[in-house]
Amino acid sequence: EAGVAQSPRYKIIEKRQSVAFWCNPISGHATLYWYQQILGQGPKLLIQFQNNGVVDDSQLPKDRFSAERLKGVDSTLKIQPAKLEDSAVYLCASSRRSGTSTIDEQFFGPGTRLTVL
Amino acid sequence: AQSVAQPEDQVNVAEGNPLTVKCTYSVSGNPYLFWYVQYPNRGLQFLLKYITGDNLVKGSYGFEAEFNKSQTSFHLKKPSALVSDSALYFCAVRDDSGYSTLTFGKGTMLLVSP
């Protein structure tokens, strides 16, 4: 089966500019995740969708970050305006089952490396 | 709050020797534990998970991990390391409640020398 697709793979912007990342999960996967991975750290969850509803966005900086998952499939993560500290790899992941006990493993995309100058 | 500690930034091992990458965790309730591997410029790949049952879990590429509840540990092991195992390894934990999310450790770089 095709894996999780993300684009672009790399993005360089200046601070205060806007940027958007796109993710297409594995077909049939109900749960979609966006993570931020800063160099030297493990991934940190930003937002989790179950179908097209938000399950957890407690660590999403909502003053500048937004995400949507239209029709429960593709998702877009946006940063507006970007700050220097947003430089990181943004990973999208998906997992199969919906429900209150989603313990399936997550499948990760290759990530988008964002550099904010 | 749940957390994961990977006490070693880097583990060095010679090819053919056994390897261990350490992980300890803290979680309320029963833990669900995972190991992922990350190769350069690629996303994380799932290796194995512990949900319940046998404390020794076998996963991909010959890796296994041992769950120890009393020591709250979930160390990753392999009997004989390969140069191609060199990568960044992440341990992750979640609890068994509802929509609990994964918390990752900071990662351990494994370097296998020929």
Side-chain angles (χ1 to χ4, degrees):
Chain A
E1 60 184 357
V4 176
Q6 289 187 248
S7 67
R9 291 294 310 276
Y10 305 91
K11 190 73 176 179
I12 300 174
I13 62 173
E14 295 188 350
K15 60 183 179 182
R16 290 187 290 274
Q17 286 187 323
S18 301
V19 65
F21 313 128
W22 174 83
C23 173
N24 180 241
I26 292 173
S27 178
H29 279 199
T31 311
L32 185 146
Y33 314 79
W34 282 102
Y35 289 89
Q36 180 192 58
Q37 186 178 16
I38 294 173
L39 187 64
Q41 300 180 20
K44 183 185 82 172
L45 180 72
L46 293 175
I47 189 167
Q48 177 180 341
F49 292 95
Q50 189 77 0
N51 297 307
N52 61 351
V54 175
V55 171
D56 188 329
D57 63 357
S58 57
Q59 298 192 87
L60 186 73
K62 298 181 184 64
D63 58 334
R64 298 184 300 107
F65 285 65
S66 64
E68 60 182 6
R69 189 182 184 196
L70 299 177
K71 300 181 180 179
V73 182
D74 292 8
S75 178
T76 302
L77 176 69
K78 297 180 180 177
I79 307 176
Q80 180 179 8
K83 294 184 175 181
L84 296 177
E85 59 261 36
D86 298 333
S87 294
V89 175
Y90 290 85
L91 295 167
C92 179
S94 68
S95 61
R96 188 173 53 196
R97 284 184 288 181
S98 61
T100 58
S101 182
T102 307
I103 55 175
D104 285 338
E105 58 268 28
Q106 297 178 23
F107 294 83
F108 284 79
T112 297
R113 183 176 298 277
L114 173 67
T115 302
V116 182
L117 303 176
Chain B
Q2 57 195 34
S3 64
V4 172
Q6 293 183 244
E8 303 151 317
D9 290 336
Q10 185 168 306
V11 170
N12 297 295
V13 64
E15 188 173 33
N17 284 356
L19 69 88
T20 299
V21 182
K22 296 179 180 178
C23 170
T24 59
Y25 66 89
S26 174
V27 69
S28 301
N30 294 315
Y32 296 152
L33 293 152
F34 300 78
W35 276 101
Y36 285 84
V37 60
Q38 187 174 35
Y39 297 98
N41 298 316
R42 296 178 67 177
L44 280 69
Q45 295 179 32
F46 169 77
L47 280 179
L48 52 80
K49 65 181 177 184
Y50 171 83
I51 304 300
T52 186
D54 194 346
N55 289 343
L56 186 63
V57 179
K58 294 188 182 297
S60 306
Y61 313 120
F63 284 93
E64 57 189 27
E66 186 169 11
F67 171 64
N68 187 316
K69 188 173 183 177
S70 63
Q71 297 186 2
T72 61
S73 67
F74 189 57
H75 300 332
L76 182 69
K77 300 180 179 183
K78 188 174 183 181
S80 179
L82 300 172
V83 172
S84 57
D85 293 330
S86 297
L88 187 57
Y89 290 81
F90 290 96
C91 181
V93 69
R94 56 158 287 183
D95 66 32
D96 59 352
S97 64
Y99 289 101
S100 176
T101 58
L102 274 184
T103 297
F104 285 84
K106 64 177 175 60
T108 298
M109 179 63 71
L110 173 67
L111 293 176
V112 182
S113 55

